[in-house]
Amino acid sequence: MLSVKNLHASIGGREILQGVELEVHAGEVHAIMGPNGSGKSTLAQVLAGRDIYAVTGEVLYDGKDLLAMKPEERAREGIFLAFQYPVEILGVSNMYFLRSALNAIRKHRGLEELDAVDFLGLVDSKMKLLGMDQNFRERPVNAGFSGGEKKRNEIFQMLMLEPRLAILDETDSGLDIDAMKVVADGVNSLRSPGRAIVVVTHYQRLLNYIVPDFVHVQVNGRIVKSGGKELALELEEKGYVGVEEGFAEEAQSTKGSAVECRM
Amino acid sequence: MPDVITPQEVYLASFQALKKRLAAKEPGWLQRLRQEAIQAFTELGFPTTRHEEWKYTSVTPIAQTPFQTPWEQKDLSWKPETAALEPWRSLSDVCLVFVNGSFCESLSSFQGLPSGVKAGNLASLLPGSPDGFMEHLARYADHRNHPFIALNTALWQDGAYLWLPKGTVLERPVHLLFISTAKDAPLVSHPRSLVLAERESQATIIESYLGVGEGVCFSNAVTEIVAGENTVLDHYQLQLENERSAHIATLQVYQDRNAHFTSGSVSLGGALVRNEVNAVLDAEGSECVLNGLYLAQGRQHMDNRTSMDHARPHCSSRQHYNGILDGHAAGVFNGRIIVRPDAQKTDAIQKNRNLLLSEEATVNTKPQLEIFANDVRCTHGATVGQIDPEALFYLRSRGIAQQDARNLLIYAFAGDILDRIRPAEVRTRVENALNARLASAPT
């Protein structure tokens, strides 16, 4: 489904991604872990189409050149990024925003626009699943939301838009354990043979609830180690430095951030 | 340049012609008023950008255009394009229509106006004007020092009047619809309106300025509103002149004790636009709220100027103006707050936010606070910003096309002001006009 080859991304002359390689197939759940500043969020943003980076390399999505597609085209083709920092948009209600998005995607897929009744029915069922308050519907997008509410809203949008490839960027950070379980339940409800999920996280904790098929360790803009779900536990136990042993070059240059990560 | 007719002389000639036409019909006091006003205009002349009040707005295009007055035009036949007018005419059952400054009875309607309320065209009150009403004319808007108010006062032909007796409550808005339409020759009109709200009355008044056709027009409007004790007045001004026309308007408000006045000004049209709202809070407990939205593109120039005169203690005022500027458009906001020595416990807030959509668009925003009392709360804030690229990316990452996402953010910015428009029928029409504007904007 997703094939990333030798992906580089830089901003302001600083190279953040330095040759990322990643293969994701339908039905799989991948976790990308790594210390702060290792470029995990940049990878997520580049895949979603953020245009502030100078990008080289190749990304194929269902065999198509993803890097040539606009962000909205990627979304319509089924890519969804749950933002690490969801943006506040004053003056636009959640419902207006979501209906515009859903109908743009449905139109692209050759489906009819949902009418107000069907739309609100769908909204209610997803909101119930995530334990969200009704008053959220008419509130402006993310404005005045707590950190947890924002993250929950990302998952809510994901459930509404039903992506084929969902990328979750640090969706677990700042959530208490109950909120995290709710979020994980939401993500797990989306798991299916036709879909793939990429979870970008700093902590192993979330992976107890969203159990990945593959775990990758990203350091200094490259994926330095890949393995099964047990790799996440190893990371938890030994820290990034421990896992990096044998990757002398990388370990040398990331000690600072690895220490910071353990604190 | 001895052979060149100065811009002022064109208007002086108009005045002489008007004087002849109206001499028999108008009472002496009005003739004297007109004479005094044209005299003031002759002395003041058209302002230049050297005048502090006109620093950012050049009226040279107005001064240099040989505008004709409607009665100078041979071909006055105008067939109302009712289809274009209908959305506006249907705004309220009470609708007074003026075409190039003249009352158009066939298009007007007074349905459902409660008995006791007097409304109609101002010229019909002459010469035998009702007691106590016409004495308010030109008492508030300063024709001695403001060249365009002077011109209007000298040359006005007609406009609306509304007289709300004590305790009247109007359920439906009174809509004053001013249509400008010109053929080959540029045309000027000077609509003049007067609203007298006696104590405890309540009403919503809408002034719409609508350009029909492609001709060049200049509307120079003055509206005076006298808000009596304990009145509640909502006023909306919608400016939709065509993009070749000039629009200069002064709304002059006088507020008595505990009068509550709210104004919503929306400017979408016009090549050269200047809206002035001047309120005098002349008795304790009065409240004034001025909201405004201006959206300019291409080479439109929009200047909004407010003056909030806190003359007495315990009054409050709120001003919220948002501007959206695209293309090579220029915006101006000048918000003046005067707190007189006597006006203790004044509570005044002024906010002006601007959204620039292009590199070439400009805005000049200037708060002007003159505070002579010591126990007051006065705050002001002005911002100039651009579309937030992160918000744009967020919307696009959900499948919304770039242009739609951009419009959604512009619309949200406008929504801050649109949400303050209370009557749903007004808000809907403004939203439609705004959407049409955004849809037509070059990308």
Side-chain angles (χ1 to χ4, degrees):
Chain A
M1 178 183 271
L2 183 75
S3 172
V4 179
K5 290 199 178 81
N6 194 26
L7 184 65
H8 292 254
S10 56
I11 186 166
R14 202 160 57 88
E15 194 169 42
I16 300 171
L17 299 184
Q18 304 181 14
V20 173
E21 307 273 338
L22 183 67
E23 289 286 334
V24 178
H25 300 103
E28 295 174 352
V29 173
H30 289 245
I32 298 176
M33 304 186 70
N36 286 326
S38 61
K40 303 188 301 294
S41 281
T42 301
L43 176 62
Q45 295 249 325
V46 166
L47 291 177
R50 187 80 207 264
D51 61 3
I52 56 172
Y53 303 98
V55 177
T56 61
E58 186 185 72
V59 181
L60 296 178
Y61 174 66
D62 287 340
K64 281 180 272 190
D65 179 5
L66 187 74
L67 297 178
M69 293 159 74
K70 294 177 187 169
E72 57 267 38
E73 290 167 350
R74 301 180 196 202
R76 291 169 193 178
E77 290 287 339
I79 291 182
F80 180 92
L81 170 65
F83 281 57
Q84 180 179 12
Y85 302 112
V87 185
E88 297 194 4
I89 304 177
L90 290 165
V92 179
S93 81
N94 270 307
M95 286 305 98
Y96 187 84
F97 159 59
L98 199 52
R99 206 171 157 198
S100 303
L102 183 62
N103 283 332
I105 289 173
R106 287 180 65 92
K107 197 175 160 194
H108 180 77
R109 293 179 186 167
L111 299 169
E112 271 184 41
E113 293 196 352
L114 276 190
D115 67 27
V117 176
D118 290 344
F119 175 74
L120 288 177
L122 192 63
V123 163
D124 278 350
S125 68
K126 305 294 184 196
M127 276 174 54
K128 206 172 271 177
L129 199 68
L130 294 169
M132 295 170 80
D133 198 289
Q134 287 284 331
N135 77 14
F136 147 93
R137 301 200 304 197
E138 294 315 318
R139 284 166 67 186
V141 178
N142 294 323
F145 284 27
S146 69
E149 280 179 314
K150 285 182 184 171
K151 296 297 173 79
R152 217 179 270 223
N153 191 22
E154 294 295 291
I155 299 305
F156 168 65
Q157 291 173 35
M158 183 180 80
L159 295 184
M160 289 293 295
L161 302 179
E162 299 184 317
R164 293 186 50 237
L165 172 63
I167 303 160
L168 279 64
D169 187 6
E170 305 265 358
T171 301
D172 54 323
S173 53
L175 292 186
D176 64 44
I177 194 76
D178 292 330
M180 200 180 69
K181 282 179 186 166
V182 170
V183 163
D185 285 347
V187 174
N188 286 328
S189 74
L190 211 64
R191 286 180 92 147
S192 81
R195 287 203 180 93
I197 298 167
V198 175
V199 181
V200 172
T201 183
H202 195 89
Y203 307 103
Q204 189 272 335
R205 187 181 67 153
L206 178 69
L207 304 181
N208 292 334
Y209 300 94
I210 305 173
V211 181
D213 303 302
F214 300 94
V215 173
H216 310 275
V217 181
Q218 182 170 322
V219 176
N220 267 1
R222 292 174 68 181
I223 288 175
V224 297
K225 189 167 186 176
S226 297
K229 62 184 175 210
E230 64 287 346
L231 180 56
L233 296 168
E234 195 184 327
L235 279 172
E236 180 77 358
E237 198 181 314
K238 297 183 185 169
Y240 290 109
V241 171
V243 170
E244 283 156 25
E245 275 165 15
F247 295 85
E249 193 191 320
E250 283 83 1
Q252 198 63 34
S253 55
T254 56
K255 237 170 208 166
S257 45
V259 170
E260 182 190 323
C261 160
R262 273 200 207 151
M263 284 167 70
Chain B
M1 291 186 287
D3 289 344
V4 177
I5 300 171
T6 66
Q8 278 103 317
E9 282 167 19
V10 174
Y11 290 92
L12 292 182
S14 287
F15 179 74
Q16 294 307 331
L18 183 74
K19 206 171 149 182
K20 266 187 214 144
R21 275 165 46 90
L22 299 177
K25 287 197 273 181
E26 290 193 344
W29 65 265
L30 184 53
Q31 293 184 34
R32 284 190 295 278
L33 173 67
R34 287 186 190 275
Q35 189 66 50
E36 182 185 297
I38 200 72
Q39 187 63 35
F41 174 71
T42 311
E43 283 160 21
L44 295 165
F46 281 107
T48 70
T49 49
R50 286 192 300 276
H51 293 81
E52 185 60 31
E53 315 257 287
W54 296 86
K55 194 174 170 186
Y56 301 110
T57 297
S58 164
V59 298
T60 309
I62 293 176
Q64 290 184 344
T65 304
F67 286 106
Q68 294 187 353
T69 44
W71 69 84
E72 287 168 333
Q73 284 206 329
K74 292 184 191 91
D75 182 12
L76 277 174
S77 64
W78 179 72
K79 290 201 180 70
E81 296 165 38
T82 37
L85 295 184
E86 215 35 54
W88 301 99
R89 277 189 63 217
S90 63
L91 221 167
S92 178
D93 302 334
V94 184
C95 182
L96 280 70
V97 181
F98 297 82
V99 179
N100 294 332
S102 297
F103 184 55
C104 182
E105 196 164 4
S106 60
L107 289 175
S108 300
S109 139
F110 295 89
Q111 245 176 10
L113 201 64
S115 60
V117 175
K118 296 185 181 74
N121 62 312
L122 203 54
S124 71
L125 294 181
L126 303 168
S129 58
D131 293 339
F133 185 77
M134 284 304 261
E135 67 186 41
H136 288 282
L137 187 77
R139 231 171 91 179
Y140 309 94
D142 185 1
H143 61 269
R144 291 180 188 90
N145 296 301
H146 190 300
F148 288 97
I149 296 176
L151 258 192
N152 176 289
T153 307
L155 293 170
W156 69 271
Q157 273 200 285
D158 211 346
Y161 76 87
L162 175 65
W163 188 359
L164 300 163
K166 183 185 164 191
T168 331
V169 176
L170 291 191
E171 304 285 342
R172 300 274 295 140
V174 173
H175 185 200
L176 315 177
L177 176 55
F178 297 93
I179 293 160
S180 340
T181 183
K183 292 191 173 154
D184 300 333
L187 201 103
V188 59
S189 61
H190 305 274
R192 180 77 183 213
S193 300
L194 177 60
V195 175
L196 177 59
E198 292 184 352
R199 58 183 293 169
E200 282 144 21
S201 61
Q202 185 174 332
T204 297
I205 301 149
I206 304 157
E207 278 181 51
S208 306
Y209 292 85
L210 192 62
V212 174
E214 301 299 312
V216 177
C217 299
F218 167 34
S219 304
N220 176 37
V222 174
T223 298
E224 290 173 293
I225 295 183
V226 187
E229 200 173 327
N230 242 3
T231 49
V232 179
L233 294 179
D234 279 14
H235 179 272
Y236 296 95
Q237 196 213 52
L238 315 175
Q239 190 274 109
L240 292 152
E241 305 277 7
N242 76 26
E243 284 188 39
R244 300 175 68 196
S245 294
H247 180 90
I248 293 189
T250 299
L251 173 65
Q252 188 74 39
V253 184
Y254 176 86
Q255 292 183 237
D256 207 338
R257 200 181 179 89
N258 297 322
H260 194 300
F261 179 83
T262 304
S263 137
S265 156
V266 179
S267 268
L268 299 176
L272 172 55
V273 176
R274 162 95 158 198
N275 289 315
E276 297 191 17
V277 184
N278 307 318
V280 180
L281 285 63
D282 204 22
E284 287 190 21
S286 59
E287 279 182 42
C288 184
V289 179
L290 307 180
N291 300 316
L293 174 68
Y294 44 101
L295 183 123
Q297 58 195 37
R299 297 200 172 267
Q300 285 181 292
H301 180 102
M302 289 196 189
D303 181 349
N304 282 278
R305 196 178 180 87
T306 65
S307 167
M308 189 67 74
D309 187 347
H310 283 267
R312 306 284 167 200
H314 294 286
C315 293
S316 74
S317 64
R318 299 285 180 270
Q319 300 180 58
H320 292 273
Y321 272 74
N322 280 12
I324 302 169
L325 302 134
D326 201 355
H328 290 78
V332 182
F333 178 80
N334 190 109
R336 187 176 179 204
I337 299 175
I338 309 155
V339 181
R340 306 273 173 195
D342 190 30
Q344 300 296 0
K345 304 288 179 190
T346 287
D347 175 8
I349 296 176
Q350 178 190 92
K351 278 182 189 153
N352 175 231
R353 297 170 64 212
N354 294 282
L355 182 63
L356 298 184
L357 300 177
S358 75
E359 295 286 323
E360 292 80 20
T362 57
V363 67
N364 282 291
T365 172
K366 188 178 143 203
Q368 196 182 336
L369 272 56
E370 297 161 31
I371 301 170
F372 303 103
N374 52 23
D375 185 12
V376 301
R377 186 177 78 138
C378 267
T379 62
H380 66 88
T383 62
V384 179
Q386 283 148 357
I387 292 237
D388 176 6
E390 291 194 24
L392 195 64
F393 175 60
Y394 189 73
L395 294 172
R396 293 177 73 193
S397 80
R398 299 301 183 245
I400 299 171
Q402 182 169 20
Q403 190 60 33
D404 294 340
R406 192 170 178 266
N407 284 347
L408 194 58
L409 293 172
I410 297 169
Y411 198 81
F413 184 83
D416 182 23
I417 301 300
L418 296 181
D419 289 347
R420 299 169 200 264
I421 298 179
R422 275 184 283 211
E425 61 270 35
V426 178
R427 198 170 53 241
T428 310
R429 281 167 180 82
V430 171
E431 283 169 355
N432 292 343
L434 185 68
N435 280 331
R437 230 344 130 90
L438 293 180
S440 74
T443 54

